[in-house]
């Protein structure tokens, strides 16, 4: 169905090149859907948002040793309006739940959620009155990362999974 | 000492003292509720006692203790800086709901009452609010008795013994067709917003109230600061906590002693080793266990490494917030922290949540490559340490944003119960490793850095100097450490070695008992404080002779230190608030617990 992305010359996406005179096509065709997905999947901007211990591993992932920039996600945005990805990195308390819900609502579509760590996935070691047993009780979660805390590599694995998911999205990711 | 104190107390406030006891070196005075303020003033002001630092206030619910004494009690842990002495006051409260409907703590039900001591020790403000919130004890004449951890619309007081632990049942199998599991994985919470109250004296009409947080990159987590502003000047800051309240104390009371160790890691999650140490030493104090010297040294080395790692996070994030060197400093700092985490990973398999110390020793012996790794780290770190100085110490931006900002004088700090580098930067050389040495700190030569400037820059220099001292401590400890057993030979707390289990019946029984039932400390109450990177981490344990602690209390240094925000930020600019929060060095996991 879709045509391979990447022109024979220069590998540029679409557009003609003035110096191309050997007769081969100076453009490439792709389904709009795939193009958009390709762009989205390679520039997932997370929200600067940390909750608990897992947030420290999230910071480590962004620091020089692990370097999240290798996956196109180093642009942490402090405003939910500019972010695509909410990494819920830690335990969600009853008091914090409405705040997270509001932050999620403030993010513009398309948006994704990664539940980082056991706490965000299912409550983790805190099966008690204070903690919500998994952030999926309030938000649609795309990828769950096990671990307490997950290592930065595990977060990257989740990021890869998310990119696979984005690349397979249909109808430009519009959710009913 | 105790006799003299009691004699004098009886003379000054007759009929106040009901009883007194000594247990594991802790002195406890039992006080009648109506005299609590007289006794408090006496203990604070008398020149023979001078208990000027209120360390902790926490409530006890004796519902399941089967005692005839009143149901609720309030514990006050006091410390005298000049006399270097601790004392505990226990105040029994008259329970109004005793003959009523059981006192489940619903709204509108009468709560047990005691007089507030906020005007004697201002630090009592938040500690009393916490006790009110979680234990349902009313403090009369408290300036603003509001919930502090739980949402304002919460019903009940979670730490009471008739309040269930909560949570969800955990199923170890999942039958897809069983309707019982239909709710799992469903979005069932609406997450409704609710209003939180502001203090009455906040002028919301004449001034602007700016909300900083709970989602803000410079609050180091989920902290909300309701800031009243007059133009750019800060009139008042009201921190709003509890967004990360995770019920550590209640969880601990439902677990065996040993099983709380992994939870300690998750409180101040940038210094898990120090948390582990304070907790296991509290249990060891309760059980009176002797610890081999080798273990003590290992604990000191790992804790000082952790102190460096914790200060690295503080320095990196602080420098990033303040903006002296936009992104270089955090990257440099995190690099060195990674080296330490590598050592931890080698020791116990985890980067952050270590749980390496166990009651009676270490979880397993040190790996062979440990010493070399630490030596290599020290060598590398001293080079980086120099770099940090070059980057920041004389950086004009750094100086102009830190010098003279957020001044907290010694008297104010002591009144607010501040400990750790914050207090030392105000000129009080109070370091528990020095004044009441634990582990082997008395055999190591180090200094307690102080400063008299009491501003944010002083806190910076004090912490930088502490890094130097930690390196010194580690070096000495590495030279003095000798091989030895990695846990105590006391089979009542530590597992027997593997080979003994297959040869000795007795060892097998000990092993079986420890694994299936845990140990049972004797009845009693202890309080142990460790000098953490951020201040005093206190653990209070009340044992009823079973394998679970009856009451587990955690005093987080960040929680108490954060209370000074208002004092430091008042009258300054809003932008300085960021400097101040950074210089306190908080971790929200420990503030909210
Ligand atoms: S999963 Fe573990 S490390 Fe992460 S927030 Fe929860 S307790 Fe902390």
């Amino acid at each position: 169905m879709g045509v391979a992305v990447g022109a024979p010359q220069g590998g540029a996406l679409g557009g003609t090149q003035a110096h191309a005179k050997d007769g081969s096509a100076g453009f490439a065709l792709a389904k709009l859907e795939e193009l958009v997905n390709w762009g989205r999947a390679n520039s997932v901007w997370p929200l600067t948002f940390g909750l608990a211990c897992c947030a420290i591993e999230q910071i480590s992932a962004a620091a020089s040793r692990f370097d999240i920039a290798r996956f196109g996600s180093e642009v942490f945005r402090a405003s939910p309006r500019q972010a695509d990805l909410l990494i819920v990195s830690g335990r969600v308390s009853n008091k914090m739940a409405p705040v997270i819900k509001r932050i999620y609502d403030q993010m513009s579509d398309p948006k994704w959620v990664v539940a980082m760590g056991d706490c965000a996935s299912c409550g983790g070691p805190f099966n008690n009155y204070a903690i919500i047993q998994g952030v999926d009780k309030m938000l649609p979660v795309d990828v769950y990362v096990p671990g307490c805390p997950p290592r930065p590599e595990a977060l990257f694995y989740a990021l890869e999974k998310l990119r696979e998911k984005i690349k397979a999205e249909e109808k430009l990711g519009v959710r009913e | 000492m105790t006799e003299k104190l009691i004699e004098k107390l009886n003379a000054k406030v007759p009929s106040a003292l009901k009883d007194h006891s000594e247990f594991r070196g802790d002195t406890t005075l039992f006080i009648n509720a109506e005299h609590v303020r007289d006794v408090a003033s006496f203990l604070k002001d008398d020149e023979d006692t001078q208990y000027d630092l209120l360390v902790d206030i926490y409530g006890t619910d004796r519902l399941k203790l089967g005692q005839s004494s009143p149901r609720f009690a309030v514990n006050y842990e006091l410390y005298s800086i000049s006399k270097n002495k601790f004392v505990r006051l226990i105040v029994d409260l008259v329970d109004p709901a005793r003959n009523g409907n059981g006192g489940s703590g619903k709204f509108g039900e009468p709560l047990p009452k005691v007089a507030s001591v906020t005007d004697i020790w201002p630090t009592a403000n938040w500690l009393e609010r916490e006790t009110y919130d979680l234990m349902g004890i009313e403090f009369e004449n408290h300036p603003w008795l509001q919930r502090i951890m739980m949402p304002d619309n919460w019903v009940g007081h979670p730490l009471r013994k008739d309040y269930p632990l909560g949570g969800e049942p955990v199923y170890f199998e999942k039958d897809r067709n069983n309707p019982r599991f239909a709710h799992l994985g469903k979005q069932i919470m609406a997450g409704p917003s609710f209003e939180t109250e502001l203090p009455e004296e906040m002028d919301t009409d004449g001034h602007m109230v700016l909300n900083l947080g709970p989602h803000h990159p410079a609050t180091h987590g989920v902290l909300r600061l309701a800031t009243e502003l007059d133009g750019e000047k800060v009139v008042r800051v009201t921190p709003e906590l509890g967004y990360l309240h995770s019920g550590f104390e209640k969880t601990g009371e439902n677990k065996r002693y040993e099983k709380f160790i992994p939870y300690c890691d998750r409180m101040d999650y940038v210094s898990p080793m120090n948390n582990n140490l304070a907790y296991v030493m509290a249990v060891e104090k309760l059980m009176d266990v002797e610890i081999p010297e080798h273990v003590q040294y290992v604990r000191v080395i790992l804790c000082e490494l952790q102190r460096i790692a914790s200060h690295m996070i503080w320095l990196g994030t602080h420098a990033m917030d303040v903006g002296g060197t936009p992104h270089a400093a955090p990257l440099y700092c995190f690099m060195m922290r990674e080296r330490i985490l590598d050592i931890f990973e080698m020791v116990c398999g985890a980067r952050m949540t270590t749980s390496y110390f166990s009651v009676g020793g270490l979880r397993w012996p040190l790996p062979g490559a440990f010493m070399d790794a630490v030596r290599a780290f020290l060598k590398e770190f001293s080079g980086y340490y120099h770099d940090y100085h070059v980057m920041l110490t004389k950086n004009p931006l750094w100086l102009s944003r830190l010098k003279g900002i957020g001044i907290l004088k010694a008297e104010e700090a002591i009144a607010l119960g501040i400990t750790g580098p914050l207090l030392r930067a105000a000129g009080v050389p109070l370091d528990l490793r020095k004044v009441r040495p634990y582990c082997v700190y008395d055999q190591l030569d180090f200094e307690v850095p102080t400063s008299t400037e009491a501003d944010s820059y002083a806190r910076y220099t004090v912490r930088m100097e502490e890094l130097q001292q930690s390196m010194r401590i580690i070096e000495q400890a590495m030279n003095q450490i000798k091989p030895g057993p990695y846990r105590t030979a006391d089979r009542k707390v530590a597992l027997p070695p593997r080979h003994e289990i297959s040869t000795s019946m007795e060892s097998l029984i000990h092993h079986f008992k420890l694994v299936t039932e845990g140990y049972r400390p004797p009845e009693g109450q202890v309080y142990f404080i460790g000098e953490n990177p951020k201040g005093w981490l206190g653990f209070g344990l009340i044992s009823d002779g079973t394998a679970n602690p009856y009451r587990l209390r955690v005093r987080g240094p960040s929680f108490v230190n954060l209370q000074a925000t208002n004092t430091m930020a008042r009258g300054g600019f809003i932008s300085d608030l960021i400097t101040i929060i950074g210089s306190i060095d908080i971790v929200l996991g420990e503030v909210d617990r």
Side-chain angles (χ1 to χ4, degrees):
Chain A
M1 276 279 291
V3 179
V5 171
Q9 293 165 348
L13 267 176
T16 54
Q17 297 190 355
H19 64 273
K21 287 189 180 158
D22 56 358
S24 62
F27 57 88
L29 293 175
K31 281 207 304 187
L32 179 64
E33 217 169 74
E34 281 179 3
L35 259 181
V36 169
N37 285 349
W38 175 82
R40 281 176 180 168
N42 285 301
S43 60
V44 183
W45 290 5
L47 183 73
T48 316
F49 176 71
L51 282 171
C53 348
C54 284
I56 305 290
E57 278 304 61
Q58 190 192 332
I59 302 173
S60 299
S64 55
R65 180 181 189 182
F66 296 99
D67 193 12
I68 204 170
R70 294 178 293 153
F71 303 87
S73 297
E74 77 280 20
V75 195
F76 279 87
R77 295 279 95 181
S79 161
R81 309 271 183 214
Q82 301 166 348
D84 312 311
L85 171 64
L86 176 65
I87 302 179
V88 184
S89 50
R91 38 194 189 258
V92 181
S93 70
N94 275 302
K95 197 168 180 175
M96 192 64 195
V99 184
I100 295 184
K101 177 85 174 158
R102 181 177 293 191
I103 289 173
Y104 178 76
D105 289 343
Q106 283 174 345
M107 289 167 66
S108 49
D109 272 324
K111 51 190 171 185
W112 297 278
V113 178
V114 167
M116 180 181 183
D118 294 351
C119 287
S121 304
C122 66
F126 296 95
N127 196 358
N128 62 25
Y129 65 92
I131 297 296
I132 288 177
Q133 302 300 303
V135 71
D136 54 9
K137 294 224 160 26
M138 321 137 40
L139 310 176
V141 175
D142 293 280
V143 185
Y144 298 84
V145 195
C148 186
R151 300 179 55 101
E153 293 94 329
L155 184 61
F156 295 156
Y157 183 72
L159 219 51
E160 277 298 301
K161 283 275 157 209
L162 184 68
R163 283 162 54 153
E164 272 173 36
K165 186 170 178 174
I166 296 174
K167 281 182 186 153
E169 235 158 50
E170 287 173 357
K171 292 192 216 152
L172 299 180
V174 178
R175 289 175 187 166
E176 274 90 53
Chain B
M1 170 68 195
T2 316
E3 282 77 50
K4 245 178 81 190
L5 171 69
I6 288 166
E7 217 171 86
K8 202 153 180 193
L9 180 61
N10 278 335
K12 277 268 162 67
V13 197
S15 79
L17 188 71
K18 279 204 288 197
D19 199 0
H20 67 97
S21 71
E22 290 276 340
F23 180 69
R24 307 271 193 250
D26 288 8
T27 309
T28 309
L29 307 176
F30 294 87
I31 307 287
N32 276 318
E34 62 262 33
H35 295 299
V36 61
R37 288 182 53 83
D38 301 335
V39 175
S41 321
F42 158 74
L43 288 176
K44 188 185 169 214
D45 297 330
D46 191 83
E47 75 272 11
D48 286 342
T49 49
Q50 290 184 13
Y51 285 102
D52 41 4
L53 191 74
L54 174 63
V55 182
D56 203 356
I57 298 180
Y58 54 102
T60 329
D61 177 1
R62 301 197 185 108
L63 183 66
K64 301 211 171 137
L65 228 41
Q67 286 179 354
S68 51
S69 46
R71 179 173 165 191
F72 291 104
V74 182
N75 305 260
Y76 300 79
E77 304 280 347
L78 307 177
Y79 176 68
S80 157
I81 296 179
S82 51
K83 301 278 182 291
N84 189 13
K85 284 248 180 289
F86 283 96
V87 75
R88 176 184 309 121
L89 306 183
I90 298 187
V91 180
D92 291 335
L93 309 185
V94 186
D95 185 3
R98 229 164 141 209
N99 306 318
N101 46 10
S104 63
K106 298 271 184 325
F107 276 158
E109 244 177 56
L111 299 175
K113 287 192 181 115
V114 68
S116 163
V117 292
T118 19
D119 48 343
I120 303 171
W121 294 288
T123 180
N125 191 331
W126 280 13
L127 292 165
E128 287 180 352
R129 272 178 72 190
E130 190 191 5
T131 312
Y132 159 74
D133 184 359
L134 301 180
M135 193 58 96
I137 291 170
E138 192 180 325
F139 292 87
E140 286 168 310
N141 295 327
H142 186 284
W144 195 51
L145 200 61
Q146 276 282 328
R147 284 194 182 269
I148 190 167
M149 293 296 166
M150 304 309 291
D152 282 356
N153 56 1
W154 195 260
V155 177
H157 303 281
L159 281 183
R160 289 191 170 190
K161 287 289 171 188
D162 51 5
Y163 191 100
L165 174 63
E168 283 179 6
V170 179
Y171 306 113
F172 290 100
E173 55 181 77
K174 187 163 183 288
D175 170 10
R176 282 179 190 284
N177 302 320
N178 191 333
R180 201 164 56 134
F181 300 129
H183 68 284
L184 293 178
K186 287 265 171 61
Q187 288 160 39
I188 51 172
M189 281 198 49
S193 298
F194 58 88
E195 294 270 319
T196 32
E197 298 230 357
L198 292 172
E200 258 170 39
E201 67 267 20
M202 263 207 179
D203 178 8
T204 45
D205 297 328
H207 288 152
M208 178 179 170
V209 177
L210 188 75
N211 247 322
L212 203 78
H215 161 229
H216 188 284
T219 53
H220 296 229
V222 282
L223 165 71
R224 176 180 158 220
L225 300 170
T227 317
E228 184 185 339
L229 293 177
D230 181 8
E232 276 204 65
K233 288 260 179 205
V234 176
V235 180
R236 185 177 288 106
V237 187
T238 309
E240 167 84 27
L241 322 174
Y243 290 100
L244 197 57
H245 178 64
S246 323
F248 277 96
E249 292 179 16
K250 186 91 178 173
T251 307
E253 287 163 20
N254 285 278
K255 301 245 173 242
R256 283 193 225 143
Y257 285 90
E258 188 81 13
K259 297 203 166 161
F260 189 69
I261 296 176
Y263 284 88
C264 308
D265 300 334
R266 287 145 180 90
M267 258 167 345
D268 174 358
Y269 32 76
V270 301
S271 40
M273 286 284 185
N274 300 72
N275 299 357
N276 285 170
L277 180 70
Y279 178 69
V280 298
M281 288 202 59
V283 182
E284 282 160 6
K285 181 175 175 185
L286 179 64
M287 311 208 359
D288 206 11
V289 190
E290 276 290 315
I291 305 300
E293 206 188 46
H294 172 75
V295 175
Q296 312 260 25
Y297 274 106
V298 175
R299 286 178 174 183
V300 166
I301 294 174
L302 287 169
C303 283
E304 292 306 316
L305 281 173
Q306 185 73 77
R307 194 179 303 275
I308 295 178
S310 167
H311 280 5
M312 285 292 95
I313 293 235
W314 155 77
L315 184 63
T317 50
H318 191 26
M320 186 162 70
D321 294 345
V322 169
T325 55
H327 265 85
L331 291 181
Y332 273 75
C333 292
F334 270 81
M335 204 138 68
M336 277 301 101
R337 178 171 176 269
E338 287 291 337
R339 300 277 183 282
I340 297 173
L341 297 194
D342 280 350
I343 296 176
F344 288 171
E345 199 177 345
M346 180 167 89
V347 164
C348 68
R351 279 157 55 81
M352 273 174 63
T353 42
T354 51
S355 306
Y356 181 55
F357 304 151
S358 66
V359 177
L362 310 171
R363 206 157 292 278
W364 42 70
L366 279 181
F370 176 75
M371 293 294 170
D372 291 339
V374 177
R375 290 225 165 77
F377 165 76
L378 285 181
K379 204 157 159 237
E380 195 180 359
F381 183 71
S382 46
Y384 274 85
Y385 179 75
H386 178 246
D387 288 353
Y388 303 140
H389 269 305
V390 172
M391 258 188 280
L392 292 171
T393 306
K394 292 203 180 112
N395 182 332
L397 254 172
W398 185 247
L399 283 168
S400 66
R401 290 217 56 187
L402 262 68
K403 276 243 155 145
I405 302 298
I407 291 182
L408 186 68
K409 297 262 170 50
E411 320 79 75
E412 293 171 323
I414 294 170
L416 283 167
I418 306 296
T419 47
L422 225 61
L423 183 61
R424 295 193 280 271
V428 185
L430 179 60
D431 187 328
L432 278 183
R433 295 174 295 168
K434 206 65 170 184
V435 296
R436 295 178 84 88
Y438 50 94
C439 285
V440 283
Y441 280 115
D442 48 351
Q443 291 165 41
L444 301 163
D445 179 29
F446 64 99
E447 271 140 43
V448 178
T450 55
S451 167
T452 48
E453 303 294 315
D455 60 355
S456 299
Y457 192 75
R459 283 163 222 147
Y460 163 73
T461 46
V462 163
R463 288 200 181 96
M464 287 300 274
E465 195 48 44
E466 280 186 22
L467 288 172
Q468 189 88 44
Q469 297 302 329
S470 289
M471 284 195 271
R472 252 179 91 188
I473 294 175
I474 298 170
E475 236 158 62
Q476 293 173 46
M478 303 258 295
N479 293 337
Q480 294 178 16
I481 189 169
K482 290 185 198 71
Y486 70 97
R487 59 187 172 205
T488 157
D490 186 349
R491 295 280 177 265
K492 289 275 179 284
V493 284
L495 293 176
R498 183 70 192 80
H499 64 89
E500 257 183 42
I501 299 173
S502 33
T503 52
S504 143
M505 191 60 204
E506 207 193 344
S507 291
L508 186 64
I509 294 172
H510 280 312
H511 187 276
F512 182 77
K513 278 252 185 200
L514 270 180
V515 173
T516 53
E517 292 170 14
Y519 34 76
R520 290 161 194 273
E523 280 180 40
Q525 176 168 6
V526 292
Y527 199 85
F528 181 83
I529 307 177
E531 183 74 45
N532 259 34
K534 296 176 177 58
W536 286 11
L537 175 66
F539 279 102
L541 288 170
I542 300 180
S543 160
D544 58 350
T546 59
N548 292 4
Y550 183 77
R551 175 79 172 93
L552 181 109
R553 163 69 186 169
V554 187
R555 179 227 196 245
S558 307
F559 173 66
V560 180
N561 290 357
L562 187 60
Q563 204 178 165
T565 319
N566 188 30
T567 315
M568 289 197 261
R570 249 181 341 214
F573 285 109
I574 175 82
S575 53
D576 294 338
L577 188 55
I578 303 300
T579 311
I580 289 164
I581 291 291
S583 77
I584 304 178
D585 187 19
I586 48 165
V587 156
L588 264 296
E590 185 181 70
V591 174
D592 293 343
R593 280 153 297 134

